[in-house]
């Protein structure tokens, strides 16, 4: 497809379960971002990849959160031992360019809504 | 937490009215962006601003990058029903690398016929 896709669109997990969220960026885009959006709030940065390299993970809230992009295209955000406070929409965005001061447009996917019971 | 203070939190307006919202920060920003998010979708870029003082239009939308680089506003003229949604300001800070975005908390716009 032409845009960023994410799967699943909805995920319900019991507290303590592990979840994996997938992002398919726009083909050829070097940069990939993950954001977390709590209900009624704006997105907050989690982590950044340039190709397969994770260059910034300063926004990951705890060591239960782990992201990878092994071949520089598809990315997976994994949350281990989910907690209720992890309930949010997880957004992925991709960008064509990967420079340190790039202001090129980030294109967002539709997000995965995670609900932890 | 949100670095950007966005107001108002919500607006209820009649079709045809103009809408104005703004965003402020205590920090200097390199870029200011305005996004719209519909239910169940990701944010979509409306306008991007790259220089202090810049005034940019996109159809009925007009946005400005404040001279101090710490604020921005978005105006929507002659609102129509499809303007309903949540509008977010966002920006990249001078201290951030890789262009990661800081977002405001959003302004929910409801348009009544």
């Amino acid at each position: 497809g032409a845009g960023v896709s994410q799967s699943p669109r909805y995920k319900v997990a019991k507290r303590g379960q592990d979840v994996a969220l997938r992002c398919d960026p726009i083909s050829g885009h070097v940069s990939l971002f993950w954001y977390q959006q709590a209900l009624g709030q704006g997105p907050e940065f989690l982590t950044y990849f340039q190709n397969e390299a994770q260059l910034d993970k300063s926004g990951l809230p705890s060591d239960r959160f782990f992201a990878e992009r092994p071949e520089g295209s598809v990315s997976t955000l994994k949350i281990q031992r989910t907690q209720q406070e992890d309930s949010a929409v997880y957004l992925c965005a991709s960008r064509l360019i990967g420079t340190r001061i790039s202001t090129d447009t980030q294109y967002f996917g539709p997000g995965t809504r995670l609900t932890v019971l | 937490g949100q670095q950007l203070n966005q107001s108002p939190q919500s607006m209820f307006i009649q079709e045809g009215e103009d809408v104005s919202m703004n965003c402020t920060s205590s920090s200097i920003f390199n870029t200011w962006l305005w996004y719209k998010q519909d239910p169940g979708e990701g944010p979509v870029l409306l306008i991007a601003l790259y220089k202090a003082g810049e005034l940019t239009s996109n159809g009925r939308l007009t946005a400005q990058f404040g001279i101090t680089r710490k604020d921005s506003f978005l105006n929507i003229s002659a609102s129509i029903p499809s303007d309903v949604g949540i509008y977010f300001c966002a920006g990249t800070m001078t201290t951030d690398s890789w262009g990661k975005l800081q977002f405001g908390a959003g302004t929910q716009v409801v348009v009544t016929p």
Side-chain angles (χ1 to χ4, degrees):
Chain A
V4 178
S5 60
Q6 293 186 244
S7 60
R9 292 294 311 275
Y10 303 91
K11 177 69 179 177
V12 178
K14 291 183 179 178
R15 190 162 57 97
Q17 283 185 332
D18 298 347
V19 298
L21 313 179
R22 177 187 169 106
C23 172
D24 284 84
I26 295 172
S27 178
H29 277 200
V30 169
S31 295
L32 187 145
F33 299 81
W34 284 98
Y35 293 86
Q36 180 190 57
Q37 185 174 22
L39 187 65
Q41 298 297 317
E44 293 200 10
F45 170 79
L46 292 177
T47 188
Y48 167 73
F49 288 88
Q50 184 179 102
N51 294 309
E52 70 279 3
Q54 189 176 20
L55 300 184
D56 188 343
K57 51 182 180 180
S58 61
L60 295 177
S62 76
D63 58 7
R64 295 185 296 103
F65 287 70
F66 172 76
E68 60 183 5
R69 194 186 184 198
E71 298 179 357
S73 55
V74 171
S75 177
T76 304
L77 177 66
K78 298 178 180 178
I79 309 173
Q80 297 177 325
R81 305 181 304 281
T82 52
Q83 303 295 314
Q84 285 188 321
E85 62 262 28
D86 300 335
S87 295
V89 174
Y90 291 85
L91 294 164
C92 173
S94 73
R95 186 182 68 198
L96 178 63
I97 296 172
T99 60
R100 179 172 279 273
I101 58 170
S102 173
T103 57
D104 196 28
T105 300
Q106 292 184 30
Y107 296 90
F108 283 83
T112 295
R113 180 177 296 277
L114 173 65
T115 303
V116 181
L117 303 176
Chain B
Q2 315 287 171
Q3 293 267 5
L4 303 180
N5 300 309
Q6 187 171 350
S7 64
Q9 188 173 8
S10 60
M11 304 184 70
F12 293 81
I13 60 173
Q14 286 194 318
E15 186 175 353
E17 289 184 345
D18 296 345
V19 175
S20 184
M21 62 193 78
N22 67 78
C23 226
T24 60
S25 173
S26 57
S27 303
I28 290 174
F29 277 71
N30 288 331
T31 62
W32 283 94
L33 307 162
W34 286 92
Y35 283 86
K36 180 174 183 258
Q37 187 174 29
D38 292 327
E41 300 296 328
V44 174
L45 183 65
L46 299 174
I47 290 183
L49 303 157
Y50 300 107
K51 295 181 182 178
E54 180 181 355
L55 183 70
T56 297
S57 293
N58 178 9
R60 294 180 296 107
L61 308 177
T62 302
Q64 184 159 31
F65 191 141
I67 292 176
T68 64
R69 297 169 65 190
K70 294 182 178 182
D71 64 304
S72 177
F73 72 75
L74 174 71
N75 287 339
I76 307 172
S77 63
S79 59
I80 59 178
S82 62
D83 290 334
V84 166
I86 302 178
Y87 293 78
F88 290 98
C89 61
T92 57
M93 294 174 63
T94 55
T95 54
D96 284 337
S97 56
W98 312 117
K100 66 183 179 185
L101 297 175
Q102 309 277 351
F103 280 85
T107 295
Q108 180 158 23
V109 173
V110 177
V111 180
T112 57

